Amino acid sequence: MPCKLLNLCEYETHKLVRIQSARLGSLKWTFNGVILMFICIVMFWNKEYQEHDYVVSSVTAKVKGVAMTSLPDVGDIVWDVVDYSGPSQGKNSFFVVTNVIVTKNQRQGKCPEVPPYGKVCWTDKDCVKGFWDQNSHGVQTGACVKFDVKQKTCEVSTWCPIETKKTPPKPALLASAENFTVLIKNNIRFPNFNFIRRNILPEMTDSYLKHCQFNRRTDPWCPIFRLGDIVQEARENFSEMAVEGGVIGIQIKWDCNLDGFLRNCLPKYSFRRLDEKESNRTLYPGLNFRFARYQTEKGVGERTLFKAFGIRFDVMVFGKAGKFSIIQLIIYIGSTLSYYALTTLFIDWLIGTSCFSKEARQNYSEKKVESVQDRQQCILCVSFVDENHIRVVKRSHRKSLQQVKPMSVHPFKDDIRHLSAMAGVLQKGHSIDKQPQALPRPSRPAWCLCGCCLPSTHPQEQLCCRMNRGRCITTSSLFEQLVLSRPLLEAVLLYREPLCELTEGEQWTTAMRHCAYNQYITWRFGAPPRESLPVIPSCSVWRIREEYSSQDGEYTGMRPRRTTSPQSSPNT
């Protein structure tokens, strides 16, 4: 379409086809009802009518509990929150010591390196003074000293004696830590809604918090947790996990509905282990770190080294809040309207299957689809007297039209108005008594099956009135009455042009010949398929030309051109 300013004042819409069918109508409303139900269920289930915002939160944790352990060569040690909490583990995390390896009375000095980290040597030449690597406990002095009765190692300057025990004790020394409790305080905010809340709910009192403890069934919103219960909720055994340590995730999920009387915003807690728990599946199982306690003995600085194993608890907060928004509701409704196209697709597919007759399918296709042919192609339609339908074919420049295979086949459709008019004319006595006669042709072409066609060098004119051998249509009495009858043709010309003067002459003969062509097309084609050009058989064309011949005997023949009117004649 050319771009013009006037195009802005035009409106275009889709063409619809309405099928009067109770079966298809009920099927359509059934499918539309199912789709509407699905849309409503999804809308209410996922709260698609709400505007959403994601949580912004902060977390603090406070651990409480006391434990006593009896360590070899150390004695009884009381562990309070300062001892077993360890160093800071980062944002939203806390750590609890559950097991230790103790190396006491370490002093700065020189001692043999511990295999396998120390290099086994034979003489001082095997050791390099000042050498160290990431696995060393100190810096080599360059001396090779005796480690035990069997081997020597390079001497290092470090804290002596060096830690030698690598395997944590079983059972864990601080297994009683499972009875420790932790208070988790979680403050959240949804910025878009300016909504603030924390997991210590407004209805919770000081006396309640002093005695409550989280239980998924009896007290699911208490913010105080027993460590043993947390590990159990994560489907782990605290005694086993306490030996080497590990990482537990505490997940707090806020799913808030901020709509009026449906307002609901409560935390939901869940727990899971985050690290690999099987020692034989990882090179560095569990979780541990080292810390020391320093003291002075007789003016000499000493320390007690602790290798602490424990459990780190990572608190992770997720959340989303929703609030009714008319804009979101309109967007959702608009996005789901396309689902109703599924009904049309299904019914169109159903009509195209064997559930409907071939005639019904073709009739629906013709009403629904309007074909527009390529300008470089010429689509023709032919009608044989021994067939009850019309063939649509593509013009061929090599093969005779009689032999071209059809693109499609359409049922014959009578032109009711034309039939009524012809019946009225014939009832007034416009008929002839001339008996139809055969017109034998001495040189019948090979494609002719009625015996009355003349040869032609143009493939589009090589068409007979029959598909199989038999009597020619020109020998029919109706051919004489409907196509060649002069009174009838004059009446048709006057019907179309009431003021025309019917005088004998070349112009009158040409008009009668063209009217005869149109009469044949309307009689044998009725309402031809859209965008197709009817073709008159050779025998009928020459019979009409013999009756209404040109003075000079010259005819232009068939001139294919695009037409949408069944009254347009392709022959002159």
Side-chain angles (χ1 to χ4, degrees), residues 13-53:
T13 186
H14 295 286
K15 179 181 178 182
L16 299 178
V17 178
R18 179 174 295 170
I19 303 176
Q20 302 293 339
S21 171
R23 180 172 59 169
L24 292 180
S26 59
L27 187 62
K28 180 194 75 171
W29 288 113
T30 300
F31 263 86
N32 286 345
V34 172
I35 292 174
L36 179 61
M37 184 182 302
F38 171 78
I39 292 174
C40 292
I41 291 174
V42 173
M43 181 179 67
F44 287 106
W45 185 268
N46 294 332
K47 298 181 178 64
E48 297 291 348
Y49 54 85
Q50 289 184 335
E51 178 186 1
H52 295 97
D53 189 22

Side-chain angles (χ1 to χ4, degrees), residues 402-429:
Q402 183 77 15
Q403 300 173 346
V404 175
K405 294 183 179 180
M407 298 168 54
S408 60
V409 177
H410 300 260
F412 182 83
K413 297 180 181 179
D414 293 319
D415 191 337
I416 304 300
R417 292 177 297 177
H418 176 76
L419 290 177
S420 300
M422 293 302 99
V425 173
L426 292 176
Q427 287 176 0
K428 293 181 179 180

Side-chain angles (χ1 to χ4, degrees), residues 69-76 100 102 104 165 173:
T69 60
S70 181
L71 301 179
D73 302 328
V74 177
D76 295 337
V100 291
V102 180
K104 61 178 299 186
K165 189 176 181 180
L173 297 178

Side-chain angles (χ1 to χ4, degrees), residues 115-222:
Y117 305 108
K119 180 180 179 182
V120 177
C121 60
W122 301 99
T123 65
D124 293 345
K125 295 181 180 180
D126 297 328
C127 301
V128 179
K129 186 176 181 180
F131 175 80
W132 66 276
D133 59 27
Q134 65 270 22
N135 294 319
S136 301
H137 287 95
V139 180
Q140 292 185 14
T141 62
C144 181
V145 297
K146 189 175 182 180
F147 175 75
D148 56 24
V149 296
K150 294 182 179 180
Q151 56 186 342
K152 293 181 178 182
T153 59
C154 292
E155 184 182 56
V156 292
S157 295
T158 185
W159 286 92
C160 300
I162 297 175
E163 178 185 71
T164 57
K165 189 176 181 180
K166 303 300 178 184
T167 305
K170 293 183 181 181
L173 297 178
L174 277 80
S176 60
E178 66 177 331
N179 295 316
F180 294 174
T181 60
V182 57
L183 169 63
I184 298 177
K185 293 186 289 185
N186 178 210
N187 295 277
I188 65 165
R189 182 172 181 264
F190 296 103
N192 289 351
F193 306 133
N194 196 25
F195 181 81
I196 299 174
R197 174 151 289 197
R198 63 176 184 165
N199 64 333
I200 301 178
L201 304 179
E203 59 270 18
M204 293 181 179
T205 63
D206 184 62
S207 59
Y208 168 79
L209 292 175
K210 287 181 179 180
H211 299 91
C212 81
Q213 194 172 100
F214 175 84
N215 184 287
R216 189 168 298 280
R217 295 182 179 178
T218 61
D219 204 349
W221 293 297
C222 178

Side-chain angles (χ1 to χ4, degrees), residues 66-80 83-84 97-102 169 171-177 180 293 306:
V66 178
M68 177 178 286
T69 60
S70 181
L71 301 179
D73 302 328
V74 177
D76 295 337
I77 299 180
V78 176
W79 298 76
D80 62 10
D83 299 316
Y84 56 67
V97 176
T98 57
N99 207 359
V100 291
I101 296 176
V102 180
L173 297 178
L174 277 80
S176 60
F180 294 174
R293 291 179 178 175
F306 294 86

Side-chain angles (χ1 to χ4, degrees), residues 235-305:
R235 299 182 179 180
E236 298 292 337
N237 185 287
F238 190 93
S239 299
E240 295 178 358
M241 190 174 184
V243 175
E244 293 181 328
V247 183
I248 293 290
I250 302 175
Q251 298 174 332
I252 306 177
K253 183 178 180 181
W254 295 85
D255 190 4
C256 299
N257 186 353
L258 305 183
D259 287 337
F261 65 92
L262 296 176
R263 181 179 292 254
N264 178 32
C265 193
L266 295 172
K268 183 178 180 181
Y269 301 97
S270 59
F271 313 90
R272 61 186 296 265
R273 184 163 183 171
L274 302 179
D275 66 316
E276 173 57 59
K277 66 179 181 179
E278 298 293 339
S279 298
N280 59 348
R281 295 184 184 178
T282 177
L283 293 176
Y284 303 99
L287 180 64
N288 62 80
F289 67 93
R290 290 176 174 86
F291 68 95
R293 291 179 178 175
Y294 296 88
Q295 67 273 355
T296 301
E297 186 70 25
K298 296 181 181 180
V300 179
E302 292 184 352
R303 76 175 186 182
T304 301
L305 178 65

Side-chain angles (χ1 to χ4, degrees), residues 380 382 393 399-404 459-463 535:
L380 310 176
V382 298
V393 299
K399 189 183 297 185
S400 70
L401 192 58
Q402 183 77 15
Q403 300 173 346
V404 175
Q460 67 270 17
E461 295 181 357
Q462 298 174 3
L463 178 68
V535 180

